[in-house]
Amino acid sequence: MQRTALIIGATGLVGNSLLTQLGSLYQKVIIIARSQPKGLSDSMHFYQLKDFNQIHEFVSALSIGKDTDAFSCLGTTIKEAGSEAAFRQIDFTFNVAFAKACKQKGVERFFLLSAMGANADSRFFY
């Protein structure tokens, strides 16, 4: 069975590096991002999504399922986000919505890249 990769967060440093690797491992790579990442190949399909509040609806409309592996490298910094609330929305809420939408579509393998040293018991917000 030929597999498809679905990725969000492909425009960041780590996500773009992963995207390059996915291109050589998967028959088809679906990219959801606000802007087009660099270095797309013929097997890569870019879909622009300006408002990630709509990620669940967007993924629900895709033709994906058990043959799809989902990857999230979506994240930011508090400085870049501007507030703890905005940071949480990007690093947590959008990723959870993406994961739930993938699960509802039948995706069985989901990979989340989190921050190095992330720990729910940390005294820091991050």
Side-chain angles (χ1 to χ4, degrees):
M1 170 171 57
Q2 297 292 331
R3 298 197 64 79
T4 297
L6 171 63
I7 182 172
I8 62 173
T11 57
L13 181 65
V14 174
N16 197 255
S17 179
L18 175 62
L19 182 61
T20 302
Q21 295 175 39
L22 295 176
S24 64
L25 298 171
Y26 287 83
Q27 177 188 16
K28 179 179 180 182
V29 179
I30 300 170
I31 304 141
I32 301 172
R34 288 186 182 97
S35 59
Q36 185 170 329
K38 298 175 185 174
L40 297 184
S41 70
D42 291 340
S43 67
M44 297 179 181
H45 305 273
F46 167 67
Y47 294 92
Q48 187 173 40
L49 180 62
K50 291 286 188 182
D51 182 2
F52 269 73
N53 285 302
Q54 304 301 317
I55 189 69
H56 192 278
E57 294 81 3
F58 198 88
V59 171
S60 295
L62 293 174
S63 296
I64 59 172
K66 287 185 176 209
D67 66 338
T68 303
D69 296 332
F71 299 84
S72 180
C73 300
L74 186 66
T76 190
T77 63
I78 291 177
K79 181 179 179 183
E80 191 76 24
S83 69
E84 286 184 359
F87 172 84
R88 180 176 174 80
Q89 182 180 39
I90 295 166
D91 271 46
F92 178 77
T93 305
F94 292 160
N95 279 298
V96 169
F98 180 57
K100 286 180 178 180
C102 288
K103 184 176 182 180
Q104 287 178 350
K105 291 294 288 190
V107 173
E108 296 177 345
R109 298 194 295 192
F110 184 90
F111 304 91
L112 171 70
L113 176 71
S114 184
M116 183 174 74
N119 182 338
D121 296 324
S122 175
R123 61 186 168 106
F124 301 105
F125 179 78
Y126 192 72

